[in-house]
Each structure stands twice: as C-alpha cells, then as structure tokens.
C-alpha cells in the first residue's frame, strides 16, 4: 500500500510546487500553507518504506496508511482546484470576455470572494488532517531514510497522434526550421536546442511532433529519443542511446566499452537526439555527456556534420547550461485553441462538431 502512495504523494508535492499554483497561493496569502504542505509530504515520504513494512503486522500503522491515502487524495483535489482557478485567471487576463465567461462557468462560483474563502477553508481543512497524521507518524517512531525514495516517473516516448494535438503547429515549424537550417550550413558543431516551458504546457508533445516530422527524418540519418527525467546518469543515457539506435539490449557496464560502442553506432551519421524531461543543473555531468556526443574541435570525432540535440526542460538553468543556441520558449495556446483543447478533454470531439 505504501508503494502505491509514493507516486500519489510525489504528484501532490509537484502540483503544490507548480508556478501557477504558487503564484495564486502567494497572492491569496496562503504561501505558508503551501510550504507547510510540501514539508509534511517530504517528511512522510522519508518514512513510507518503514511504515509499509510495519503495516503488515501493526493494525494501527495499517489504519494510519489508509488515512494518509485519503488525506493525500483530499489535498490533491484541493490543489487541482487552485490550479484550475489559476488557469481561469490567466484566461481572463487575455481580455476575451466570451472565453473568460466560458471558463468561469466551469471552474468557479460566481462570487470570487466566496470562492476564495471556500478554497482557503478547504486547504486549511486538508492541512489540519495531515497535521494530525504527522503527529501520529512521530508517535510511531518510524525509521527515516536519508532521502525520500525516488518516484518512478513515467517513461516518455516519441509516438504521437498529430490529429489529437491542438495549437502546436507554429512551434513545430519554428523548431524544424532551426534544425534544418543548421543542417544546411554543413556545421561540424553539434547544436543543442532547448525547449523550455512550465510543466504540462506541451514540451514533450512538441518534441514528439518534431521527432516524427517527415522533413526531419529525411535530413537526419538517425533520429533518437531518450527520456532522461530527474536522474541524469551519463552511463544510463549512453546505454539508452545505444539501445534505441540498435534496437537491442546493451549489457555493457564499463564506460570505455560503452563509448566505443556509441562511436560505432553513430559512425559518421548525421543524428538528431531528443533528450526529454531534463532536470540536471550540474554542468559537469552535461560536459561529460557532451564530450561523448559532440565532435572534437578538429571535426575528427565519430559523428557527421549538422548534428543536433533537442532538450526539453521546465528549467531555464538547464537551458543555460546545455544550450548552444537561444532556447525555444514554448508559447501559450491562444483563446480559441485553449477552448478547443478544453472541449476535447471534457466532452470529446463530438462537441466540436455540434459547434
């Protein structure tokens, strides 16, 4: 049961730390409550493995985990409400009365004051429940781990149904043009193009569209996709590149053997490598990876001219460390695109046909 809770707690913590949610809670004087929620969630994650083990023989611990799960879902619902309110406010700022009215009717009550009071009360109630659980947690004297068990993030992939995507055509064209212009220059330097934007805005989707673009696949001899996520381990990334390029499992463990295999796989081919969901801010780790992927100054390395790496990240610091060209800041959807996306998610494609 505890292992099932870990992704839930991690998800709630990530939502609470979202920039849109944080901005709204700060404006409403609830920043301290958000900070307290994040601290509590971090503390709980550090003891969850021990709690899970003890729940098999201790009925009190088993009930505590059950109550924790309910409290986590309660907090998740509250944070979701804040997120939707933040989106409504952003839509209203566009100053499109029709759109603002539509979104308002779905996400809030008519009185902003009433909504604010109601949501503040819900957050306070959720926090009080978690406060009580933390007190009980301390009474159980669970064994703490040096750091919270890592949450397994879903692995992204390159497959995408373009007919399901709304409003990313212009972004795709801009990125494709940058990549093809670099190729036509016969440049031996590897270009690193970061795609940057807040969580959920569509960075991975844009990278998928670029990865599958016919023109891109015509110009590059190898088009590779690697999901990096929060663990930037050079050996694992190199192994993933080899496996994707060869479609065979790589059992090599020695770095020397892996770099030779990488050189063999890439050869003199022109490649595009997508590194999706990068969080690493350690420039040394990137330098170590770059030295294996990028040609030497004299152009004598394994890779051919015009190679490119696309990096997706929500962190501007990552873009600063890795990018060799200005990052592509992914754009927000316009009013009509936002409404179309909302209708598709909420009602399916049928509502578009009715309108």
């Amino acid at each position: 049961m505890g292992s099932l809770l870990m992704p839930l707690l991690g998800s709630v913590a990530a939502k609470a730390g979202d920039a849109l949610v944080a901005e709204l809670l700060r404006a409403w004087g609830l920043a301290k409550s958000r900070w307290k929620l994040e601290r509590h969630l971090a503390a709980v994650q550090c003891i969850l493995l021990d709690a899970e083990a003890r729940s098999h023989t201790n009925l009190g611990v088993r009930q505590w985990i059950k109550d924790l799960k309910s409290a986590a879902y309660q907090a998740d619902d509250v944070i979701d409400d804040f997120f939707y309110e933040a989106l409504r406010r952003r839509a209203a700022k566009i100053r499109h009365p029709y759109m603002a009215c539509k979104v308002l009717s779905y996400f809030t009550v008519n009185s902003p004051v009433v909504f604010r009071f109601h949501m503040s009360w819900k957050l306070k109630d959720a926090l009080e429940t978690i406060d009580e659980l933390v007190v009980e947690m301390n009474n159980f004297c669970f064994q703490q781990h040096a750091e919270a068990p890592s949450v397994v993030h879903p692995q992204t992939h390159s497959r995408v149904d373009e007919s399901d995507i709304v409003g990313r055509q212009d972004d795709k064209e801009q990125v494709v043009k940058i990549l093809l212009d670099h190729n036509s220059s016969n440049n031996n330097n590897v270009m690193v193009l970061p795609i940057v934007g807040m969580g959920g805005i569509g960075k991975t989707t844009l990278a998928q569209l670029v990865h599958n673009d016919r023109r891109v696949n015509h110009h590059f001899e190898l088009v590779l996709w690697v999901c990096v996520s929060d663990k930037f381990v050079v050996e694992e990334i190199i192994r993933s590149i080899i496996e994707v390029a060869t479609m065979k499992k790589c059992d090599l463990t020695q770095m020397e053997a892996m770099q030779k295999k990488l050189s063999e796989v890439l050869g003199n081919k022109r490649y595009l490598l997508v590194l999706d969901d990068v969080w690493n801010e350690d420039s040394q780790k990137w330098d170590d990876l770059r030295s294996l992927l990028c040609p030497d100054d004299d152009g004598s390395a394994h890779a051919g001219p015009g190679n490119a790496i696309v990096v997706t990240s929500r962190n501007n610091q990552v873009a600063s460390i890795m990018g060799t060209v200005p990052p592509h800041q992914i754009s927000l959807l316009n009013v009509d695109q936002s409404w179309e996306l909302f209708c598709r998610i909420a009602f399916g494609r049928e509502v578009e046909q009715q309108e």
Side-chain angles (χ1 to χ4, degrees), residues 7 19 37 39 53-54 57 124 128 148 159 173 218-219 221 235 277 317 329 355:
L37 176 62
R39 290 290 299 272
R54 290 171 58 177
T57 57
K124 181 181 178 182
E128 286 179 352
R159 182 176 174 80
E173 291 301 320
H218 175 75
H219 277 275
E221 297 170 87
E235 291 84 350
D277 194 26
Q317 180 64 19
Q329 296 284 348
E355 291 183 352

Side-chain angles (χ1 to χ4, degrees), residues 63-333:
Q63 183 61 46
W64 179 84
I65 289 182
K66 183 179 179 180
D67 293 341
L68 176 63
K69 184 177 182 180
S70 297
Y73 277 121
Q74 180 186 4
D76 191 45
D77 289 341
V78 173
I79 296 300
D80 277 345
D81 286 341
F82 278 114
F83 180 70
Y84 294 142
E85 171 63 10
L87 287 179
R88 184 199 68 80
R89 287 170 167 249
R90 171 163 288 189
K93 286 182 180 179
I94 302 175
R95 300 185 183 281
H96 194 302
Y98 177 61
M99 176 64 176
C101 181
K102 277 185 173 182
V103 179
L104 180 64
S105 66
Y106 278 100
F107 292 134
T108 70
V109 295
N110 290 331
S111 171
V113 176
V114 172
F115 178 80
R116 177 174 176 175
F117 175 81
H118 177 65
M119 289 307 305
S120 299
W121 178 84
K122 287 181 67 175
L123 179 60
K124 181 181 178 182
D125 184 56
L127 267 177
E128 286 179 352
T129 302
I130 294 176
D131 281 343
E132 294 174 1
L133 290 169
V134 169
V135 171
E136 290 184 35
M137 176 186 79
N138 294 331
N139 292 335
F140 282 121
C141 298
F142 293 120
Q143 180 181 352
Q144 293 192 14
H145 299 269
E147 56 185 40
S150 59
V151 177
V152 178
H153 294 274
Q155 284 282 312
T156 63
H157 53 79
S158 63
R159 182 176 174 80
V160 66
D161 185 349
E162 193 162 352
S163 66
D164 290 335
I165 307 305
V166 175
R168 288 289 164 236
Q169 190 63 32
D170 289 344
D171 284 295
K172 186 187 84 166
E173 291 301 320
Q174 293 174 36
V175 173
V176 169
K177 183 178 187 304
I178 294 172
L179 295 175
L180 299 187
D181 285 349
H182 176 70
N183 288 332
S184 63
S185 67
N186 199 36
N187 195 333
N188 279 321
N189 296 321
V190 175
M191 178 183 68
V192 183
L193 171 63
I195 297 176
V196 181
M198 65 181 183
I201 197 172
K203 300 179 295 298
T204 295
T205 298
L206 174 56
Q208 289 169 328
L209 293 174
V210 171
H211 177 283
N212 295 315
D213 185 83
R214 177 184 55 79
R215 295 160 295 175
V216 168
N217 282 270
H218 175 75
H219 277 275
F220 290 100
E221 297 170 87
L222 282 176
V223 182
L224 309 168
W225 180 284
V226 173
C227 178
V228 178
S229 198
D230 56 342
K231 288 187 177 181
F232 195 97
V233 181
V234 173
E235 291 84 350
E236 292 182 5
I237 296 173
I238 294 300
R239 186 178 293 109
S240 295
I241 293 173
I242 293 171
E243 291 180 345
V244 172
T246 63
M247 295 303 294
K248 295 180 181 178
K249 182 175 176 57
C250 177
D251 294 319
L252 299 174
T253 58
Q254 297 296 317
M255 196 63 210
E256 176 65 13
M258 281 194 284
Q259 71 89 10
K260 287 184 177 179
K261 183 63 176 179
L262 178 68
S263 179
E264 174 189 325
V265 166
L266 296 183
N268 291 317
K269 299 182 180 71
R270 176 189 294 166
Y271 70 79
L272 168 65
L273 171 63
V274 177
L275 297 177
D276 187 46
D277 194 26
V278 179
W279 292 77
N280 171 61
E281 296 183 3
D282 186 341
S283 59
Q284 184 57 54
K285 289 182 179 180
W286 166 237
D287 288 341
D288 293 342
L289 179 61
R290 181 176 56 186
S291 67
L292 298 170
L293 293 173
C294 302
D296 300 329
D297 292 337
D298 61 1
S300 61
H302 51 258
N307 301 300
I309 300 173
V310 170
V311 177
T312 72
S313 178
R314 63 179 66 182
N315 191 332
N316 283 301
Q317 180 64 19
V318 172
S320 176
I321 292 172
M322 300 180 67
T324 62
V325 294
H328 177 83
Q329 296 284 348
I330 193 165
S331 58
L332 295 172
L333 299 179

